[in-house]
Amino acid sequence: MRNRALPAREMPGRRSKAVPSEGDKPVQVKCVCEGAGLRTTLREDLDRYAFAAEVGRGHLGQAGVLSPRWGALLQQGLWATAAYRICHYARYRRHSQWLRMLADVSRRIVLAFTAIDIAPDAHIGPGLWIPHVGFIVIGPVRVGRNCEIFHGVTLGARESFMVQCSPRLPTLGDRVWIGPGAVVAGVVTVGDDAAVGANSLVVHDVPPRGVVLGVPARLVSRRGSFAQITYRGMDVDGERNAALAADPEADLADTIAPARARITTQELSAEMPEKRADHLEKEWIRRSAPK
């Protein structure tokens, strides 16, 4: 008789080794529990900090006292990311209760030093860079590769965890830049190469290459996060090059019209012919007059 593959049974109190999925559809964002090894992921995280020091974006890189790799090991953002990686690995790949407990204790110790709270249930791709520490809360969300998150950022659900058993959480694509003080809440998808401005509140989807600002955040550009996101090998990254070659101003005229409603007459005169500028100046004065 042929041996039949029996379905794997999950032991009581333990998690399955199966890849996390959303219904019957496998997750898109890859993290340490979804194929990539722990060492490989930690190495990519470390290389992201080392590259930032090499190009002068980190404080240690500007000082020039230590080598980029040794200087990266002193970055508190890397400490918080490494503690999350280990705790996440212990939860989804290992079934030792002692290992999970030690990993959780280490994560809480790092939290006390860095003020960066990353949920162990989050699925974060390799290459995460946190330039500045302080008051960062990342819930059980999904984050792509080579993202950049600044201080004061909150990624989580709209509703309280006490209200719903399955909170509605956001998903971030690859190479996403989140500015200081930004909040991304609810069932929100932030596309690849998108950028969220400082102190913005994102409650709606952000298209790929989209740049959003404000409360609530509105789309103001499609130039993407290419000027902010840097990492080793970005020049030969096929996905990044394909996104960079796309039209940055496609379908943008209708989205930025409200933001430029109060354009000055000087700007109109500089951008358009004289007759057209005169006509628009009269129209602007008519609309701006008190009713």
Side-chain angles (χ1 to χ4, degrees):
M1 295 179 62
R2 294 182 179 179
N3 295 329
R4 289 187 176 182
L6 298 178
R9 296 181 179 178
E10 185 175 354
M11 297 297 295
R14 296 183 176 182
R15 292 182 178 269
S16 174
K17 291 186 178 182
V19 175
S21 61
E22 299 173 354
D24 297 331
K25 182 181 179 181
V27 295
Q28 297 179 355
V29 176
K30 299 295 183 181
C31 70
V32 67
C33 72
E34 300 166 350
L38 179 62
R39 292 183 180 180
T40 302
T41 306
L42 289 174
R43 191 179 299 113
E44 293 191 35
D45 292 336
L46 175 62
D47 186 71
R48 183 76 189 279
Y49 283 84
F51 180 78
E54 290 176 7
V55 300
R57 296 192 66 183
H59 300 291
L60 295 175
Q62 296 175 357
V65 178
L66 300 173
S67 65
R69 193 162 292 272
W70 280 105
L73 292 174
L74 300 179
Q75 297 295 320
Q76 294 179 336
L78 182 62
W79 300 354
T81 304
Y84 150 75
R85 299 284 187 201
I86 296 173
C87 193
H88 186 83
Y89 179 80
R91 177 165 298 194
Y92 284 94
R93 284 289 184 91
R94 297 296 179 182
H95 300 305
S96 173
Q97 296 293 339
W98 287 103
L99 181 60
R100 290 179 56 183
M101 183 180 67
L102 291 176
D104 189 65
V105 170
S106 64
R107 187 183 69 87
R108 295 179 182 275
I109 294 175
V110 173
L111 170 62
F113 282 97
T114 63
I116 301 176
D117 186 7
I118 305 178
D121 291 333
H123 297 282
I124 302 176
L128 176 65
W129 186 36
I130 303 177
H132 304 285
V133 299
F135 306 106
I136 298 177
V137 179
I138 302 177
V141 300
R142 295 195 175 275
V143 181
R145 300 172 60 92
N146 296 316
C147 292
E148 184 173 340
I149 298 177
F150 273 77
H151 53 281
V153 170
T154 300
L155 307 177
R158 286 193 192 181
E159 299 85 0
S160 171
F161 284 86
M162 302 299 294
V163 177
Q164 293 186 354
C165 297
S166 58
R168 300 156 60 114
L169 297 166
T171 299
L172 277 63
D174 297 335
R175 303 172 299 277
V176 174
W177 185 87
I178 308 294
V183 176
V184 183
V187 186
V188 177
T189 300
V190 181
D192 296 342
D193 305 292
V196 179
N199 300 318
S200 299
L201 173 61
V202 180
V203 292
H204 301 289
D205 291 347
V206 179
R209 298 184 51 127
V211 179
V212 295
L213 293 171
V215 180
R218 298 178 181 274
L219 184 67
V220 297
S221 173
R222 286 186 182 269
R223 297 189 180 276
S225 60
F226 304 106
Q228 293 88 359
I229 299 292
T230 57
Y231 55 94
R232 197 184 308 277
M234 61 181 181
D235 295 333
V236 295
D237 190 340
E239 294 182 359
R240 180 181 181 275
N241 291 335
L244 188 60
D247 183 10
E249 301 299 334
D251 301 328
L252 186 61
D254 296 336
T255 61
I256 65 174
R260 301 196 61 184
R262 299 189 61 84
I263 187 171
T264 62
T265 57
Q266 290 81 4
E267 291 176 341
L268 289 173
S269 300
E271 292 179 359
M272 299 181 179
E274 184 177 355
K275 293 183 179 180
R276 180 63 176 168
D278 293 340
H279 173 73
L280 290 178
E281 181 178 0
K282 294 178 181 178
E283 184 68 16
W284 180 80
I285 294 175
R286 185 183 67 82
R287 294 187 178 183
S288 301
K291 297 181 179 180

PDB file of all heavy atoms in Angstrom, residues 164-184:
ATOM      1  N   GLN A 164     -13.879  43.991  19.084  1.00  0.00           N
ATOM      2  CA  GLN A 164     -13.943  42.982  18.044  1.00  0.00           C
ATOM      3  C   GLN A 164     -12.829  41.969  18.243  1.00  0.00           C
ATOM      4  O   GLN A 164     -11.705  42.325  18.575  1.00  0.00           O
ATOM      5  CB  GLN A 164     -13.813  43.628  16.666  1.00  0.00           C
ATOM      6  CG  GLN A 164     -14.996  44.513  16.304  1.00  0.00           C
ATOM      7  CD  GLN A 164     -14.893  45.006  14.870  1.00  0.00           C
ATOM      8  OE1 GLN A 164     -13.906  44.779  14.198  1.00  0.00           O
ATOM      9  NE2 GLN A 164     -15.935  45.656  14.403  1.00  0.00           N
ATOM     10  N   CYS A 165     -13.144  40.713  17.997  1.00  0.00           N
ATOM     11  CA  CYS A 165     -12.132  39.670  18.129  1.00  0.00           C
ATOM     12  C   CYS A 165     -11.144  39.717  16.962  1.00  0.00           C
ATOM     13  O   CYS A 165      -9.981  39.374  17.126  1.00  0.00           O
ATOM     14  CB  CYS A 165     -12.802  38.295  18.196  1.00  0.00           C
ATOM     15  SG  CYS A 165     -13.874  38.076  19.633  1.00  0.00           S
ATOM     16  N   SER A 166     -11.601  40.103  15.797  1.00  0.00           N
ATOM     17  CA  SER A 166     -10.732  40.206  14.636  1.00  0.00           C
ATOM     18  C   SER A 166     -10.681  41.665  14.185  1.00  0.00           C
ATOM     19  O   SER A 166     -11.521  42.113  13.414  1.00  0.00           O
ATOM     20  CB  SER A 166     -11.248  39.320  13.500  1.00  0.00           C
ATOM     21  OG  SER A 166     -12.564  39.680  13.153  1.00  0.00           O
ATOM     22  N   PRO A 167      -9.736  42.458  14.703  1.00  0.00           N
ATOM     23  CA  PRO A 167      -9.690  43.883  14.379  1.00  0.00           C
ATOM     24  C   PRO A 167      -9.379  44.110  12.905  1.00  0.00           C
ATOM     25  O   PRO A 167      -8.751  43.284  12.250  1.00  0.00           O
ATOM     26  CB  PRO A 167      -8.556  44.399  15.279  1.00  0.00           C
ATOM     27  CG  PRO A 167      -7.711  43.212  15.542  1.00  0.00           C
ATOM     28  CD  PRO A 167      -8.642  42.039  15.593  1.00  0.00           C
ATOM     29  N   ARG A 168      -9.823  45.245  12.410  1.00  0.00           N
ATOM     30  CA  ARG A 168      -9.610  45.609  11.012  1.00  0.00           C
ATOM     31  C   ARG A 168      -8.299  46.369  10.932  1.00  0.00           C
ATOM     32  O   ARG A 168      -8.164  47.471  11.459  1.00  0.00           O
ATOM     33  CB  ARG A 168     -10.783  46.459  10.544  1.00  0.00           C
ATOM     34  CG  ARG A 168     -12.116  45.727  10.656  1.00  0.00           C
ATOM     35  CD  ARG A 168     -13.251  46.717  10.768  1.00  0.00           C
ATOM     36  NE  ARG A 168     -13.287  47.586   9.589  1.00  0.00           N
ATOM     37  CZ  ARG A 168     -14.267  47.585   8.703  1.00  0.00           C
ATOM     38  NH1 ARG A 168     -15.293  46.779   8.880  1.00  0.00           N
ATOM     39  NH2 ARG A 168     -14.259  48.382   7.682  1.00  0.00           N
ATOM     40  N   LEU A 169      -7.322  45.787  10.244  1.00  0.00           N
ATOM     41  CA  LEU A 169      -5.957  46.288  10.285  1.00  0.00           C
ATOM     42  C   LEU A 169      -5.478  46.693   8.899  1.00  0.00           C
ATOM     43  O   LEU A 169      -5.953  46.186   7.887  1.00  0.00           O
ATOM     44  CB  LEU A 169      -5.025  45.208  10.852  1.00  0.00           C
ATOM     45  CG  LEU A 169      -5.331  44.799  12.293  1.00  0.00           C
ATOM     46  CD1 LEU A 169      -4.615  43.515  12.640  1.00  0.00           C
ATOM     47  CD2 LEU A 169      -4.925  45.900  13.243  1.00  0.00           C
ATOM     48  N   PRO A 170      -4.510  47.612   8.836  1.00  0.00           N
ATOM     49  CA  PRO A 170      -3.987  48.063   7.545  1.00  0.00           C
ATOM     50  C   PRO A 170      -2.923  47.131   6.984  1.00  0.00           C
ATOM     51  O   PRO A 170      -2.382  46.276   7.684  1.00  0.00           O
ATOM     52  CB  PRO A 170      -3.391  49.432   7.884  1.00  0.00           C
ATOM     53  CG  PRO A 170      -3.013  49.329   9.321  1.00  0.00           C
ATOM     54  CD  PRO A 170      -4.011  48.402   9.957  1.00  0.00           C
ATOM     55  N   THR A 171      -2.635  47.317   5.700  1.00  0.00           N
ATOM     56  CA  THR A 171      -1.591  46.578   4.998  1.00  0.00           C
ATOM     57  C   THR A 171      -0.728  47.568   4.229  1.00  0.00           C
ATOM     58  O   THR A 171      -1.250  48.400   3.484  1.00  0.00           O
ATOM     59  CB  THR A 171      -2.188  45.551   4.024  1.00  0.00           C
ATOM     60  OG1 THR A 171      -2.983  44.615   4.765  1.00  0.00           O
ATOM     61  CG2 THR A 171      -1.095  44.802   3.282  1.00  0.00           C
ATOM     62  N   LEU A 172       0.575  47.475   4.412  1.00  0.00           N
ATOM     63  CA  LEU A 172       1.517  48.343   3.728  1.00  0.00           C
ATOM     64  C   LEU A 172       2.298  47.528   2.700  1.00  0.00           C
ATOM     65  O   LEU A 172       2.726  46.401   2.986  1.00  0.00           O
ATOM     66  CB  LEU A 172       2.492  48.996   4.708  1.00  0.00           C
ATOM     67  CG  LEU A 172       2.033  50.255   5.454  1.00  0.00           C
ATOM     68  CD1 LEU A 172       0.832  49.962   6.349  1.00  0.00           C
ATOM     69  CD2 LEU A 172       3.172  50.833   6.271  1.00  0.00           C
ATOM     70  N   GLY A 173       2.480  48.092   1.521  1.00  0.00           N
ATOM     71  CA  GLY A 173       3.226  47.423   0.472  1.00  0.00           C
ATOM     72  C   GLY A 173       4.726  47.568   0.656  1.00  0.00           C
ATOM     73  O   GLY A 173       5.227  47.896   1.744  1.00  0.00           O
ATOM     74  N   ASP A 174       5.458  47.344  -0.415  1.00  0.00           N
ATOM     75  CA  ASP A 174       6.916  47.451  -0.382  1.00  0.00           C
ATOM     76  C   ASP A 174       7.342  48.904  -0.547  1.00  0.00           C
ATOM     77  O   ASP A 174       6.692  49.692  -1.237  1.00  0.00           O
ATOM     78  CB  ASP A 174       7.538  46.609  -1.503  1.00  0.00           C
ATOM     79  CG  ASP A 174       7.237  45.126  -1.338  1.00  0.00           C
ATOM     80  OD1 ASP A 174       7.001  44.698  -0.192  1.00  0.00           O
ATOM     81  OD2 ASP A 174       7.247  44.408  -2.355  1.00  0.00           O
ATOM     82  N   ARG A 175       8.461  49.231   0.105  1.00  0.00           N
ATOM     83  CA  ARG A 175       9.113  50.539  -0.047  1.00  0.00           C
ATOM     84  C   ARG A 175       8.171  51.696   0.307  1.00  0.00           C
ATOM     85  O   ARG A 175       8.106  52.699  -0.391  1.00  0.00           O
ATOM     86  CB  ARG A 175       9.663  50.708  -1.472  1.00  0.00           C
ATOM     87  CG  ARG A 175      10.641  49.623  -1.875  1.00  0.00           C
ATOM     88  CD  ARG A 175      11.014  49.713  -3.343  1.00  0.00           C
ATOM     89  NE  ARG A 175       9.852  49.545  -4.209  1.00  0.00           N
ATOM     90  CZ  ARG A 175       9.339  48.379  -4.565  1.00  0.00           C
ATOM     91  NH1 ARG A 175       9.890  47.261  -4.125  1.00  0.00           N
ATOM     92  NH2 ARG A 175       8.275  48.306  -5.344  1.00  0.00           N
ATOM     93  N   VAL A 176       7.473  51.546   1.398  1.00  0.00           N
ATOM     94  CA  VAL A 176       6.543  52.581   1.874  1.00  0.00           C
ATOM     95  C   VAL A 176       7.254  53.459   2.905  1.00  0.00           C
ATOM     96  O   VAL A 176       7.960  52.951   3.786  1.00  0.00           O
ATOM     97  CB  VAL A 176       5.275  51.947   2.480  1.00  0.00           C
ATOM     98  CG1 VAL A 176       4.385  53.011   3.095  1.00  0.00           C
ATOM     99  CG2 VAL A 176       4.514  51.182   1.411  1.00  0.00           C
ATOM    100  N   TRP A 177       7.057  54.755   2.796  1.00  0.00           N
ATOM    101  CA  TRP A 177       7.655  55.728   3.722  1.00  0.00           C
ATOM    102  C   TRP A 177       6.543  56.339   4.569  1.00  0.00           C
ATOM    103  O   TRP A 177       5.588  56.891   4.041  1.00  0.00           O
ATOM    104  CB  TRP A 177       8.379  56.816   2.930  1.00  0.00           C
ATOM    105  CG  TRP A 177       9.139  57.798   3.765  1.00  0.00           C
ATOM    106  CD1 TRP A 177      10.413  57.676   4.211  1.00  0.00           C
ATOM    107  CD2 TRP A 177       8.677  59.070   4.244  1.00  0.00           C
ATOM    108  NE1 TRP A 177      10.785  58.782   4.932  1.00  0.00           N
ATOM    109  CE2 TRP A 177       9.731  59.654   4.967  1.00  0.00           C
ATOM    110  CE3 TRP A 177       7.477  59.769   4.122  1.00  0.00           C
ATOM    111  CZ2 TRP A 177       9.624  60.909   5.573  1.00  0.00           C
ATOM    112  CZ3 TRP A 177       7.354  61.009   4.726  1.00  0.00           C
ATOM    113  CH2 TRP A 177       8.424  61.571   5.443  1.00  0.00           C
ATOM    114  N   ILE A 178       6.687  56.244   5.906  1.00  0.00           N
ATOM    115  CA  ILE A 178       5.713  56.786   6.850  1.00  0.00           C
ATOM    116  C   ILE A 178       6.392  57.892   7.640  1.00  0.00           C
ATOM    117  O   ILE A 178       7.344  57.640   8.380  1.00  0.00           O
ATOM    118  CB  ILE A 178       5.158  55.710   7.790  1.00  0.00           C
ATOM    119  CG1 ILE A 178       4.637  54.504   7.004  1.00  0.00           C
ATOM    120  CG2 ILE A 178       4.061  56.284   8.663  1.00  0.00           C
ATOM    121  CD1 ILE A 178       3.434  54.795   6.158  1.00  0.00           C
ATOM    122  N   GLY A 179       5.922  59.118   7.494  1.00  0.00           N
ATOM    123  CA  GLY A 179       6.533  60.266   8.141  1.00  0.00           C
ATOM    124  C   GLY A 179       6.235  60.352   9.625  1.00  0.00           C
ATOM    125  O   GLY A 179       5.377  59.640  10.159  1.00  0.00           O
ATOM    126  N   PRO A 180       6.921  61.234  10.329  1.00  0.00           N
ATOM    127  CA  PRO A 180       6.745  61.364  11.782  1.00  0.00           C
ATOM    128  C   PRO A 180       5.318  61.733  12.158  1.00  0.00           C
ATOM    129  O   PRO A 180       4.682  62.579  11.524  1.00  0.00           O
ATOM    130  CB  PRO A 180       7.729  62.493  12.160  1.00  0.00           C
ATOM    131  CG  PRO A 180       8.703  62.550  11.041  1.00  0.00           C
ATOM    132  CD  PRO A 180       7.952  62.150   9.815  1.00  0.00           C
ATOM    133  N   GLY A 181       4.807  61.093  13.196  1.00  0.00           N
ATOM    134  CA  GLY A 181       3.492  61.412  13.735  1.00  0.00           C
ATOM    135  C   GLY A 181       2.317  60.936  12.914  1.00  0.00           C
ATOM    136  O   GLY A 181       1.179  61.261  13.252  1.00  0.00           O
ATOM    137  N   ALA A 182       2.549  60.158  11.870  1.00  0.00           N
ATOM    138  CA  ALA A 182       1.444  59.699  11.023  1.00  0.00           C
ATOM    139  C   ALA A 182       0.706  58.545  11.685  1.00  0.00           C
ATOM    140  O   ALA A 182       1.265  57.790  12.481  1.00  0.00           O
ATOM    141  CB  ALA A 182       1.971  59.260   9.656  1.00  0.00           C
ATOM    142  N   VAL A 183      -0.579  58.423  11.328  1.00  0.00           N
ATOM    143  CA  VAL A 183      -1.433  57.352  11.837  1.00  0.00           C
ATOM    144  C   VAL A 183      -2.102  56.675  10.651  1.00  0.00           C
ATOM    145  O   VAL A 183      -2.720  57.342   9.818  1.00  0.00           O
ATOM    146  CB  VAL A 183      -2.503  57.896  12.809  1.00  0.00           C
ATOM    147  CG1 VAL A 183      -3.436  56.774  13.254  1.00  0.00           C
ATOM    148  CG2 VAL A 183      -1.845  58.552  14.011  1.00  0.00           C
ATOM    149  N   VAL A 184      -1.968  55.355  10.580  1.00  0.00           N
ATOM    150  CA  VAL A 184      -2.633  54.550   9.553  1.00  0.00           C
ATOM    151  C   VAL A 184      -3.545  53.579  10.294  1.00  0.00           C
ATOM    152  O   VAL A 184      -3.058  52.701  11.017  1.00  0.00           O
ATOM    153  CB  VAL A 184      -1.628  53.798   8.667  1.00  0.00           C
ATOM    154  CG1 VAL A 184      -2.352  53.028   7.574  1.00  0.00           C
ATOM    155  CG2 VAL A 184      -0.621  54.764   8.056  1.00  0.00           C
TER     156      VAL A 184
END
